[in-house]
Every structure is written in structure tokens, then in C-alpha cells.
Amino acid sequence: MTRRTGTGTWLRHYTIVYLVFIYLPVVLLPVFSFNDAIYVAFPMKGFTLRWWEEMVQQTGMLHALGNSFTVAVPVCLVSTTLGMCAAKALTSYKLMGARVLTGLFALPLVIPFIILGIALLIAFNSYGLELSLWTVGIGHVLICVPFSLFVLMSRLEGFDRSLEEASLDLGETPWMTFWRVTFPVALPGVVASLLLTFTISFDEFLLAFFLTGNESTLPLYIWSQLRFPAKLPAVLALGSAILVVTFVLVTLAERLRRQGEFRSDTAAGGS
Amino acid sequence: MKDRAFISIKGISKHFGKVRAVDDVDLEIEKGEFFALLGPSGCGKTTLLRMLAGFEVPTAGEIYIDREPTAAVPHFLRPVNMVFQNYAIFPHLNVFQNIAFGLRKDRLPRPVLEERVNDALALIKLDGYGARRADELSGGQRQRVALARALIKKPKVLLLDEPLGALDKKLREQMQLELRDLQRNVGITFVFVTHDQEEALTMSDRIAVMSSGKTIEHGPPSQLYDRPRTRFVADFLGTMNFFEGRVAGSDGDGLAIETDRLGMVRAQGPADFAVGDRLTVALRPENIRISPHTPNDDVDTIGGTVSNTAYLGDRTHLYVTLEGSDQPVLVARQNMDGSGSDGPAGHAAVSLWWRRSSVLLLKSG
Ligand SMILES: Nc1ncnc2c1ncn2[C@@H]1O[C@H](COP(=O)(O)OP(=O)(O)OP(=O)(O)O)[C@@H](O)[C@H]1O
Ligand SMILES: [Mg+2]
């Protein structure tokens, strides 16, 4: 490692530039949320907690945050449940056309959300469904299920069928076998799926924009506030808060996933 | 119903599409027996075992366990338990929880439960291992935990699918004896699957040899080894020399057979061959001796040349070419008291002899 090749140095520089490009804007968010000025610009003024206070006091913003939770929590639960059922079916039985089915499940991922949004809007209108947070939730479930499915499928694919058979053999019913064996072994995948789908629903903009009634989710609210420069710093404060929470959650999920992987790896490796 | 055996398998078949994994098998297994299903890979052993456990539904036939028909009994109600080939130890539970898994429905008070699990741990010589996690166990220990987990259910029959397949040779030999002892102590009927003929011979009371979904022969190990009735079994258990022949004559105490490479051979064969019948003559390598002089009567002898030798430690294999044939005969010589190096070497002329009683006659085919 004493001499570096030309490509080596080039790659190093590229990596640094790339990281700065990605993370600098993200770092600017919390930095400016403490800046004592309305305008987001250098040079920075003094340090202030004014924007954080303002954020806590803005009822509209808090209401939108509440809406986002109201949508994201059921969405992550429902789509993870649906994803679990589909993943279980696709991995444990040799279903006819399982590949085709998997492809169909993944379809919402490749349709541009804007098209999906319009399509759903038309569908809801023709069914006479009034637009509300409910319709946003339905749209979000639609795009979250494939993510959940893939996370859980990769977890269940390495799953040893004989574990379930052993449980049946030891006198458990199929239902209890699911709860005593399949679910706990797949738990890291379930947690990962919950966090992933929650995050997707929480910051999804396009579908929410098309499908909401007169309630707005947080991304919609933030977007609407961008027109008022005075409101921006409080948005920055909120953004920073979300960033921290997301970071903690994702780290946690990744930890769990690795731990589970490690366990099942060593369990399989021993035999 | 009274005359039926403890486990009775009647005309069982299992077809997967066009594959006949198990094809019209009849077997009877007695209570308390250590019964082996032996056969080459893909012959349907696992499928037959899984039908006993209830994981596969037979295409045809009926299985009776403890004299009861099992067709309508779901696997979680059958009085059988299974030890899986890869042990299937639950990775999210510790040893104690693994062993206690099947007792949930019994709703035992905690002290009773602990006592039973500790007894099971003592049975498999893993006292004090209860709190270990599954991934902290060695292969042999997992195997034992899988056994304890099944035995604690007090099944009428324990099914084992290649239970020792994943262990190294030394451990496997040790576990063979332990498993045998364990079975005698608990008195439960064991049905176990293996493709290792030595394992089957060592452990079982009776063996059923399978091939392509059918049982070829079944009986006690010594009977199958010493007196096989089919060429397949003669070949599959141990090593064997085969010669093609035709019955040339018969007298009071045996048959005279004209063979392709051994010349005229006399045998105390079964009487179901008539003069003129084609048959296969089989001779175990260890039953052919090398000696410059032949003991008196009841033996046949032939001359040959040693073309090759293979030293195997406890014995030496000699490949002896006979006059008028280039396919050698395999002869096994025991090496006792360090005699491994003083036998006949390459190109030595030798005289082979064997007792008439050790000549096996099998139907050609
Ligand atoms: N679920 C299945 N679907 C289709 N074919 C199967 C299935 N299970 C087994 N088979 C086929 O049935 C035949 C017997 O399989 P089985 O697993 O019983 O063999 P085995 O004797 O246990 O072999 P091994 O010693 O390799 O474990 C094989 O040809 C196998 O390919
Ligand atoms: Mg098998």
C-alpha cells in the first residue's frame, strides 16, 4: 500500500467529492436551523433557538405532522402484514407462476408515481370515494407492499422449511407454528419492513398531493410553506428533527437486521 | 386386526408427477425395534419416512401405527416424532426452550417442566447446557438436542432421517453406539434412514434395503450380509465378487456350477435351482483365502497371479488375475500383528481357496 496507482488516487478524490455533494446539503439543514436570520445564506449570523421554538408553536405544521403519522403508522402495519402474507405464500409453496406473481407485485414500483397518482384519482372518483387521508393511505399501501414484500422475501427465502416442519412434528398447529417459529425467525425482516414502509409513507409527496382532500401531510405542508420566506427557518428546524429521528430509526433497523442475519448464518453454518 | 405388526405399511406409493419416489412398499416393523431404511441416494427413503410422519400424503396404500390407520391423522396429532437431517434446531430459542418446545400444550407447572427438560438433558449428557444458544452448539450437540426435543414427547415411534450424516467419522461412530444404547434404554421404536451401509449394519435390528422406490429385501443385518437373496443387496452391502454361471449338476449336498472365470464351483446352494439354470455366483473378498496349501475337503481352489495390491491398514486388498480372464478377483487379507508387508506382492503366483458354504447363489439379472 505504499504506492498508489493513478486510478486509486482518482477514485479517492471521486469518493470525497461524491460524499461532500451528497452530505453537505443535508448538514446545512441543521446548521441553518440555528442561524439567526430569515434568509438561508452565508455569511451566517448568530446562534438562535428561535426557529425551533417557532416550529413547536406552529399549529399548522404540528397538525400536518400528526396527519403524516396518522397515515404512516397504519400504512406500515397494513403493508407489512400484506407483504408478509404474500412473501410467505411465494416462498413456501411452489405456486404456479410464482415469478409472474412476484413481477406483478413489483409493478407499482416501476410505474411513475405521477401516473399512479392520476390513475388512482380517476379510480377513486369513479367509485365515488371522497378524497381524504384514507385515500392517501390506500395509495401508500399500494406502493409500500412491494418494498415490504421484497424485504420479507429475502428474509424468508433463506428460511429453513424444516424448522416449521419440526414445529408441526412437535405437535403445534400451523397457526401456532407461524407465531412460535416463522414470525420470530423473520422478526428482523418484519421490523426492517415496518421502518422502511413507515419512512416511505412519511415522506411521500406525489401520491399524497393527488389523493388528499383538505388535510395535508407534512411534505405537502412544507411544500406549501416554501412560498413564505419567513416560515422557512422553522421548516429547517423540523427537517433537522426528522433527520435525527430517521437516522436513529434506520440505524436501529440495520442493527436488528444484521443481528438476525448473523444468528441465522451461524445457526445454518454449524450443521 | 390382532395379527398386524406394530407399524404396518401396506402397498404404499408416492408419486411426484412422473417420479415414483416410493413404489408399492410393504413393510412390518415390530415394537421396540431399531429399524433401518437403507438405500442409495434418491431411492425414496426420506419420502417413505415423511409419509410415516405425515408430511407427505401417500398416493396409494395405508400406514398403520400402533395398529391404527393413520390416513386421517394430521401430523401434529400423530404419536411419532422426527429428528431432521439438519436437526432443525430453532435458532431463536436456547437449548432449554428448544427441548421444551413440544410441551406447551401439556401446560405443565414450571417445576415439572424444568424437571422433565433436565431429565432429557441428562439423557443426552448435556446437563447444564439449558441456557446455551443454538448457535453455540457443536454438530454433535445439536444432534443430541434434536433427539431430546423429540424424545421428550414420548412418541411411540421416533423417525430419524440420516441423523449422523453431518458428523465427522469419529463422532459418528461414537454416536452410533450412543444412539443404540439410548434406544435400548427408552424402548421406543426407532425407524432410521441412512445411505451408509456400515451404519445400518452396526445399529439396526433389521434393515430394509431400498432401490428406486421399492424395498428389495429386508431382514437382520447378518442375514442380509451373509445370505443376500438378490444381486443388488449383495452388491450394496460390503464388497462382493460376482461370477456368471450355469448349474451343471446336482447331488445330495449341493450343486455344481460351471462359471465363466472360476471354472467348476460347488455350492451348498438353495434347492430352487435346477440343472441348466443360469445364475450368479457371489463370493465375499474376505471369504477367499490365499494359501500355498489347501485344507482338505469342502473347499474349492483356483490358481492366479497377483496383479495389484492395496494396503488399507487393517487389511490388504489383493487383485488376483485368473487364467483365461483379465477381470481380477478381489481378495481381502487380514493384517494381524503387523503382517501387512509380508503377504504376496505383485506378479506372485498364488492359489486361492474358499469354503463351499461361503459360496452364494443369486438369480441372474
Ligand atoms: N417434493 C418433491 N417433488 C418432486 N420430486 C420429489 C420430491 N421429493 C422427492 N422427490 C423425488 O423422489 C425421489 C426420492 O426422493 P427421496 O428424498 O425420498 O430420496 P432419498 O432416498 O431420501 O435420497 P437421499 O439419500 O439423497 O436423501 C427422488 O427422485 C426425488 O427427486
Ligand atoms: Mg433423504
Side-chain angles (χ1 to χ4, degrees):
Chain A
M1 287 306 284
T2 42
R3 252 181 27 171
R4 281 206 190 83
T5 59
T7 31
T9 9
W10 193 87
L11 262 176
R12 246 161 65 91
H13 290 154
Y14 169 76
T15 310
I16 290 166
V17 169
Y18 179 81
L19 289 178
V20 167
F21 182 76
I22 293 283
Y23 285 105
L24 191 63
V26 178
V27 174
L28 286 180
L29 212 65
V31 168
F32 276 105
S33 74
F34 294 109
N35 185 27
D36 194 7
I38 285 181
Y39 294 101
V40 179
F42 290 105
M44 308 229 304
K45 304 277 161 40
F47 176 85
T48 178
L49 286 175
R50 179 150 61 105
W51 309 123
W52 286 79
E53 270 163 41
E54 199 169 292
M55 168 191 97
V56 182
Q57 283 155 11
Q58 273 189 26
T59 50
M61 186 183 292
L62 291 181
H63 184 72
L65 183 69
N67 280 345
S68 274
F69 271 102
T70 314
V71 172
V73 170
V75 161
C76 76
L77 289 174
V78 168
S79 45
T80 298
T81 308
L82 293 178
M84 184 71 184
C85 295
K88 184 89 187 69
L90 286 171
T91 50
S92 43
Y93 310 107
K94 283 181 193 141
L95 286 183
M96 295 270 286
R99 276 161 168 268
V100 179
L101 264 175
T102 316
L104 279 177
F105 275 116
L107 210 57
L109 295 183
V110 292
I111 300 178
F113 282 6
I114 192 154
I115 309 274
L116 207 61
I118 295 170
L120 282 173
L121 191 62
I122 294 169
F124 288 148
N125 271 336
S126 62
Y127 287 128
L129 258 175
E130 207 170 305
L131 293 183
S132 64
L133 290 181
W134 281 97
T135 45
V136 177
I138 293 171
H140 282 180
V141 167
L142 197 72
I143 56 166
C144 282
V145 167
F147 286 101
S148 165
L149 177 71
F150 287 127
V151 169
L152 290 168
M153 257 177 86
S154 72
R155 182 77 204 165
L156 288 180
E157 242 151 27
F159 187 87
D160 185 358
R161 274 287 277 164
S162 63
L163 289 181
E164 287 171 332
E165 287 186 343
S167 164
L168 295 173
D169 186 69
L170 291 168
E172 281 303 358
T173 57
W175 173 248
M176 283 308 293
T177 292
F178 177 82
W179 288 112
R180 291 190 75 193
V181 177
T182 320
F183 188 78
V185 173
L187 189 62
V190 173
V191 173
S193 161
L194 284 174
L195 290 173
L196 182 66
T197 49
F198 178 87
T199 315
I200 291 170
S201 168
F202 192 76
D203 72 8
E204 202 284 331
F205 178 80
L206 263 171
L207 285 183
F209 182 73
F210 276 101
L211 300 177
T212 192
N214 33 29
E215 292 288 340
S216 57
T217 61
L218 193 65
L220 292 180
Y221 180 83
I222 291 176
W223 180 76
S224 69
Q225 294 302 296
L226 289 180
R227 278 170 292 166
F228 313 111
K231 298 261 177 81
L232 187 60
V235 170
L236 290 184
L238 181 70
S240 312
I242 291 172
L243 209 61
V244 171
V245 173
T246 313
F247 183 77
V248 170
L249 280 183
V250 169
T251 313
L252 224 76
E254 187 60 17
R255 261 262 179 92
L256 265 176
R257 196 181 65 80
R258 288 221 186 126
Q259 201 177 350
E261 223 163 55
F262 168 74
R263 267 201 213 169
S264 57
D265 276 0
T266 45
S271 60
Chain B
M1 284 292 221
K2 271 237 179 80
D3 51 342
R4 194 168 272 145
F6 184 62
I7 300 175
S8 170
I9 297 168
K10 294 249 181 263
I12 278 291
S13 296
K14 178 72 191 183
H15 300 174
F16 296 108
K18 285 210 180 91
V19 182
R20 298 186 167 202
V22 173
D23 195 7
D24 196 16
V25 165
D26 287 293
L27 274 181
E28 307 224 308
I29 299 169
E30 297 302 331
K31 197 178 174 101
E33 245 189 328
F34 201 122
F35 193 92
L37 294 170
L38 173 67
S41 187
C43 71
K45 309 177 295 282
T46 298
T47 308
L48 183 55
L49 201 70
R50 287 171 61 84
M51 284 194 282
L52 282 169
F55 289 124
E56 305 283 1
V57 180
T59 312
E62 179 65 276
I63 295 172
Y64 300 84
I65 294 176
D66 200 7
R67 296 165 189 87
E68 307 283 342
T70 56
V73 186
H75 29 54
F76 51 90
L77 291 179
R78 290 195 180 200
V80 299
N81 282 106
M82 184 143 162
V83 174
F84 290 80
Q85 181 161 10
N86 58 0
Y87 314 141
I89 303 293
F90 302 121
H92 59 294
L93 302 177
N94 65 22
V95 169
F96 185 98
Q97 293 164 326
N98 260 284
I99 294 177
F101 190 92
L103 298 180
R104 183 187 66 90
K105 280 195 183 151
D106 298 351
R107 302 195 184 286
L108 301 173
R110 185 75 195 178
V112 179
L113 179 75
E114 267 172 20
E115 194 188 318
R116 282 200 46 193
V117 173
N118 287 334
D119 286 351
L121 281 169
L123 188 70
I124 54 165
K125 305 196 185 96
L126 284 180
D127 319 63
Y129 275 68
R132 290 269 186 123
R133 266 176 36 181
D135 53 10
E136 294 167 347
L137 297 176
S138 71
Q141 289 168 341
R142 293 157 160 269
Q143 206 271 344
R144 285 167 216 237
V145 172
L147 258 174
R149 188 177 67 178
L151 284 174
I152 205 166
K153 295 281 291 174
K154 300 199 165 85
K156 289 177 179 164
V157 184
L158 187 70
L159 308 171
L160 305 102
D161 192 356
E162 310 228 4
L164 309 177
L167 308 179
D168 61 54
K169 192 169 181 298
K170 269 272 174 322
L171 189 56
R172 194 161 65 221
E173 282 167 2
Q174 182 197 336
M175 285 303 296
Q176 284 174 4
L177 297 178
E178 274 188 28
L179 208 57
R180 189 68 249 232
D181 279 349
L182 186 75
Q183 192 263 343
R184 290 211 181 105
N185 290 339
V186 295
I188 292 172
T189 311
F190 276 32
V191 180
F192 99 109
V193 156
T194 179
H195 64 259
D196 181 339
Q197 41 112 1
E198 234 171 85
E199 196 170 288
L201 291 174
T202 314
M203 296 168 78
S204 356
D205 295 318
R206 281 199 305 146
I207 302 172
V209 181
M210 292 183 69
S211 167
S212 317
K214 291 184 187 296
T215 45
I216 306 296
E217 259 185 75
H218 52 86
S222 58
Q223 181 194 319
L224 292 185
Y225 187 83
D226 293 331
R227 292 278 142 201
R229 281 181 290 106
T230 57
R231 180 166 178 152
F232 182 84
V233 173
D235 198 19
F236 194 74
L237 293 178
T239 33
M240 191 68 99
N241 291 298
F242 291 106
F243 311 91
E244 295 310 316
R246 196 176 54 81
V247 182
S250 84
D251 59 28
D253 49 34
L255 301 171
I257 297 128
E258 179 70 47
T259 61
D260 52 352
R261 290 183 290 145
L262 286 182
M264 196 62 101
V265 168
R266 284 169 301 165
Q268 303 168 325
D272 48 351
F273 292 104
V275 175
D277 282 354
R278 305 210 63 84
L279 48 68
T280 300
V281 172
L283 259 176
R284 294 263 178 224
E286 69 266 27
N287 289 336
I288 307 178
R289 323 288 170 85
I290 294 183
S291 166
H293 57 89
T294 57
N296 40 38
D297 53 341
D298 268 354
V299 301
D300 276 324
T301 141
I302 195 167
T305 320
V306 177
S307 60
N308 222 334
T309 63
Y311 177 66
L312 301 174
D314 61 334
R315 61 193 193 278
T316 302
H317 278 174
L318 301 154
Y319 295 87
V320 178
T321 314
L322 308 174
E323 289 135 43
S325 152
D326 43 325
Q327 194 190 342
V329 173
L330 180 61
V331 180
R333 226 181 57 113
Q334 288 301 316
N335 295 330
M336 278 173 289
D337 306 321
S339 65
S341 53
D342 21 278
H347 308 301
V350 290
S351 163
L352 306 178
W353 63 269
W354 59 89
R355 291 212 160 76
R356 263 176 234 174
S357 55
S358 59
V359 174
L360 298 170
L361 302 180
L362 309 167
K363 289 207 169 60
S364 271

Short mmCIF file of all heavy atoms in Angstrom, two decimals, chain A residues 94, chain B residues 16 19 21 40-47 162 195, ligand 1:
data_model
loop_
_atom_site.label_atom_id
_atom_site.label_comp_id
_atom_site.label_asym_id
_atom_site.label_seq_id
_atom_site.Cartn_x
_atom_site.Cartn_y
_atom_site.Cartn_z
N LYS A 94 -44.79 -24.00 -3.96
CA LYS A 94 -44.39 -23.87 -5.35
C LYS A 94 -45.62 -23.43 -6.14
O LYS A 94 -46.26 -24.22 -6.81
CB LYS A 94 -43.86 -25.20 -5.87
CG LYS A 94 -42.46 -25.47 -5.36
CD LYS A 94 -41.93 -26.77 -5.90
CE LYS A 94 -40.68 -27.17 -5.14
NZ LYS A 94 -40.62 -28.60 -4.89
N PHE B 16 -44.49 -38.26 -7.45
CA PHE B 16 -44.39 -36.81 -7.70
C PHE B 16 -44.44 -36.64 -9.20
O PHE B 16 -43.42 -36.83 -9.87
CB PHE B 16 -43.09 -36.24 -7.15
CG PHE B 16 -42.95 -36.33 -5.66
CD1 PHE B 16 -42.07 -37.22 -5.08
CD2 PHE B 16 -43.69 -35.50 -4.83
CE1 PHE B 16 -41.94 -37.30 -3.70
CE2 PHE B 16 -43.56 -35.57 -3.46
CZ PHE B 16 -42.69 -36.47 -2.89
N VAL B 19 -42.41 -39.08 -11.33
CA VAL B 19 -41.42 -39.76 -10.48
C VAL B 19 -42.12 -40.66 -9.46
O VAL B 19 -42.97 -40.19 -8.71
CB VAL B 19 -40.54 -38.73 -9.73
CG1 VAL B 19 -39.49 -39.44 -8.89
CG2 VAL B 19 -39.89 -37.78 -10.71
N ALA B 21 -41.42 -41.95 -6.39
CA ALA B 21 -40.45 -41.86 -5.30
C ALA B 21 -40.53 -43.10 -4.42
O ALA B 21 -39.52 -43.65 -3.99
CB ALA B 21 -40.70 -40.60 -4.48
N PRO B 40 -29.42 -46.32 -1.83
CA PRO B 40 -28.64 -45.25 -2.44
C PRO B 40 -29.43 -43.95 -2.50
O PRO B 40 -30.64 -43.93 -2.29
CB PRO B 40 -28.35 -45.78 -3.85
CG PRO B 40 -29.42 -46.79 -4.10
CD PRO B 40 -29.77 -47.37 -2.78
N SER B 41 -28.75 -42.85 -2.77
CA SER B 41 -29.38 -41.54 -2.82
C SER B 41 -30.52 -41.53 -3.83
O SER B 41 -30.39 -42.06 -4.93
CB SER B 41 -28.32 -40.50 -3.20
OG SER B 41 -28.88 -39.23 -3.10
N GLY B 42 -31.63 -40.94 -3.44
CA GLY B 42 -32.75 -40.79 -4.35
C GLY B 42 -33.65 -42.01 -4.46
O GLY B 42 -34.52 -42.06 -5.32
N CYS B 43 -33.47 -42.99 -3.60
CA CYS B 43 -34.25 -44.23 -3.73
C CYS B 43 -35.60 -44.11 -3.03
O CYS B 43 -36.41 -45.03 -3.10
CB CYS B 43 -33.48 -45.42 -3.20
SG CYS B 43 -33.32 -45.44 -1.41
N GLY B 44 -35.85 -43.02 -2.32
CA GLY B 44 -37.18 -42.83 -1.73
C GLY B 44 -37.24 -43.03 -0.23
O GLY B 44 -38.33 -43.06 0.34
N LYS B 45 -36.10 -43.11 0.43
CA LYS B 45 -36.08 -43.34 1.88
C LYS B 45 -36.75 -42.20 2.63
O LYS B 45 -37.64 -42.41 3.46
CB LYS B 45 -34.63 -43.46 2.38
CG LYS B 45 -33.77 -44.44 1.62
CD LYS B 45 -32.35 -44.42 2.13
CE LYS B 45 -31.60 -43.13 1.92
NZ LYS B 45 -31.10 -42.90 0.58
N THR B 46 -36.31 -40.97 2.33
CA THR B 46 -36.86 -39.81 3.01
C THR B 46 -38.36 -39.71 2.77
O THR B 46 -39.14 -39.43 3.68
CB THR B 46 -36.16 -38.53 2.53
OG1 THR B 46 -34.77 -38.63 2.87
CG2 THR B 46 -36.74 -37.30 3.20
N THR B 47 -38.77 -39.94 1.53
CA THR B 47 -40.19 -39.85 1.20
C THR B 47 -41.01 -40.84 2.02
O THR B 47 -42.07 -40.49 2.56
CB THR B 47 -40.39 -40.09 -0.31
OG1 THR B 47 -39.52 -39.23 -1.03
CG2 THR B 47 -41.82 -39.82 -0.72
N GLU B 162 -31.24 -39.71 8.35
CA GLU B 162 -29.78 -39.61 8.31
C GLU B 162 -29.27 -38.81 9.50
O GLU B 162 -28.62 -37.78 9.34
CB GLU B 162 -29.33 -38.92 7.00
CG GLU B 162 -29.99 -39.56 5.79
CD GLU B 162 -29.01 -39.88 4.69
OE1 GLU B 162 -27.81 -39.68 4.86
OE2 GLU B 162 -29.48 -40.36 3.64
N HIS B 195 -27.88 -43.86 4.09
CA HIS B 195 -27.36 -44.45 2.86
C HIS B 195 -26.01 -45.11 3.14
O HIS B 195 -25.33 -45.58 2.24
CB HIS B 195 -27.24 -43.39 1.76
CG HIS B 195 -26.26 -42.31 2.09
ND1 HIS B 195 -26.66 -41.07 2.54
CD2 HIS B 195 -24.93 -42.29 2.06
CE1 HIS B 195 -25.59 -40.35 2.77
NE2 HIS B 195 -24.53 -41.05 2.51
N1 LIG C 1 -41.33 -32.77 -3.26
C1 LIG C 1 -40.85 -33.47 -4.31
N2 LIG C 1 -41.23 -33.14 -5.57
C2 LIG C 1 -40.77 -33.86 -6.63
N3 LIG C 1 -39.95 -34.91 -6.54
C3 LIG C 1 -39.55 -35.29 -5.31
C4 LIG C 1 -39.98 -34.60 -4.14
N4 LIG C 1 -39.41 -35.19 -3.07
C5 LIG C 1 -38.67 -36.21 -3.56
N5 LIG C 1 -38.74 -36.27 -4.90
C6 LIG C 1 -38.09 -37.27 -5.75
O1 LIG C 1 -38.37 -38.53 -5.25
C7 LIG C 1 -37.24 -39.38 -5.29
C8 LIG C 1 -36.90 -39.91 -3.91
O2 LIG C 1 -36.51 -38.83 -3.07
P1 LIG C 1 -36.09 -39.02 -1.55
O3 LIG C 1 -35.81 -37.68 -1.00
O4 LIG C 1 -37.12 -39.83 -0.86
O5 LIG C 1 -34.76 -39.85 -1.71
P2 LIG C 1 -33.75 -40.34 -0.59
O6 LIG C 1 -33.70 -41.80 -0.70
O7 LIG C 1 -34.09 -39.76 0.72
O8 LIG C 1 -32.38 -39.75 -1.13
P3 LIG C 1 -31.16 -39.10 -0.31
O9 LIG C 1 -30.37 -40.24 0.23
O10 LIG C 1 -30.43 -38.37 -1.37
O11 LIG C 1 -31.72 -38.22 0.75
C9 LIG C 1 -36.11 -38.54 -5.89
O12 LIG C 1 -36.03 -38.88 -7.26
C10 LIG C 1 -36.58 -37.14 -5.73
O13 LIG C 1 -36.12 -36.34 -6.77
#
